[in-house]
Amino acid sequence: GEDERRERLVNIHLFVSRYFYKKLYDQYGKEAFAYAKMRGLAKETLEKFKIGYAPFKSEELIEQLEKLGYSQEELLNSGIFSKSMEGRVYSKFFNRLIFPIENVQGKIIGFGGRNLGNGEPKYLNSPETEIFKKKYNLYGLNIAKEEIRKKNQVLLMEGYTDVISVWQKGVLNAVASLGTAFTEEQGRLLLRYANEIVIVYDND
């Protein structure tokens, strides 16, 4: 049924997230790891936010998922993969630093990726899927929710890198709206945890 289908999509995300996480630390991730270091991301931060690296090639990842019994259709429905004109399935995320997007229960439901080359777009987010509805989710909320409750205040930022950089400075009550306009649903979600929402967007 629907629940099982959604659970399988969540499990694909969990597997892919772990795969990307491992890749940051092997020979393919050297450049990405150096980039993360240059951006001042501490080891603890990489672990806390489950940051990973999507390599150039995705055959190995797809093969592993197929071995686990996931169909091509499921891979495409996850929003992580696309199909080429020739019918080849490939990951939309390649040569990117990967930021898993968790829902408030801590389940990974999407990804954000920062390009490491000069390619466009600089940031790529998972598309809307059955499990990832942008207007109902905020990046970092699962990590920040206790602190938001404690302070009765939440800082709303623009992107994941903003949330991560302030977290490293000890500001633990920040979330990001994932490149979409802040929605009423996101507002309602935040008001479950705090009465005060402070919007901290870049001044552009």
Side-chain angles (χ1 to χ4, degrees):
E2 188 191 343
D3 286 348
E4 192 199 351
R5 208 170 59 229
R6 292 166 70 98
E7 196 175 326
R8 284 177 67 85
L9 287 180
V10 167
N11 288 337
I12 288 173
H13 279 78
L14 181 60
F15 185 87
V16 171
S17 169
R18 286 178 175 158
Y19 178 89
F20 287 158
Y21 184 84
K22 285 195 285 250
K23 286 293 163 201
L24 185 59
Y25 300 95
D26 74 12
Q27 80 262 28
Y28 299 106
K30 277 204 183 86
E31 197 190 328
F33 190 74
Y35 172 82
K37 266 212 141 98
M38 184 192 82
R39 293 299 295 258
L41 296 175
K43 190 172 188 303
E44 186 197 359
T45 308
L46 294 172
E47 286 168 10
K48 182 78 175 175
F49 289 92
K50 304 182 171 93
I51 295 167
Y53 170 67
F56 280 101
K57 295 191 177 304
S58 45
E59 286 87 345
E60 181 188 42
L61 172 59
I62 288 161
E63 208 171 284
Q64 289 181 10
L65 284 162
E66 284 173 345
K67 266 203 190 107
L68 290 169
Y70 293 106
S71 68
Q72 202 176 79
E73 188 188 6
E74 286 179 300
L75 298 187
L76 296 173
N77 287 342
S78 74
I80 304 165
F81 302 95
S82 276
K83 204 177 197 172
S84 71
M85 300 296 268
E86 297 81 49
R88 194 175 59 85
V89 175
Y90 64 94
S91 165
K92 289 176 188 172
F93 296 95
F94 52 90
N95 196 31
R96 287 179 184 271
L97 202 59
I98 294 292
F99 302 87
I101 299 163
E102 297 178 329
N103 66 13
V104 77
Q105 289 84 32
K107 292 191 164 138
I108 295 167
I109 53 172
F111 294 101
R114 166 73 164 81
N115 202 325
L116 291 174
N118 300 321
E120 291 296 320
K122 186 155 67 167
Y123 289 101
L124 179 70
N125 287 336
S126 286
E128 297 263 316
T129 65
E130 196 176 345
I131 57 171
F132 183 40
K133 303 275 183 266
K134 290 181 187 171
K135 66 178 186 179
Y136 294 110
N137 288 287
L138 289 140
Y139 180 79
L141 182 54
N142 181 50
I143 287 173
K145 63 188 177 191
E146 294 312 315
E147 189 72 11
I148 292 169
R149 267 205 187 106
K150 252 197 312 223
K151 288 209 164 84
N152 197 16
Q153 181 201 62
V154 58
L155 305 179
L156 177 69
M157 308 192 92
E158 234 166 333
Y160 21 91
T161 48
D162 304 316
V163 170
I164 291 165
S165 63
V166 300
W167 185 85
Q168 278 202 150
K169 296 186 182 103
V171 179
L172 310 180
N173 61 329
V175 300
S177 57
L178 295 167
T180 49
F182 184 51
T183 66
E184 199 183 322
E185 290 83 357
Q186 288 171 333
R188 276 208 293 272
L189 181 59
L190 288 180
L191 289 171
R192 283 187 211 164
Y193 299 95
N195 293 327
E196 187 187 2
I197 301 174
V198 181
I199 297 185
V200 199
Y201 277 6
D202 293 352
N203 34 11
D204 52 0

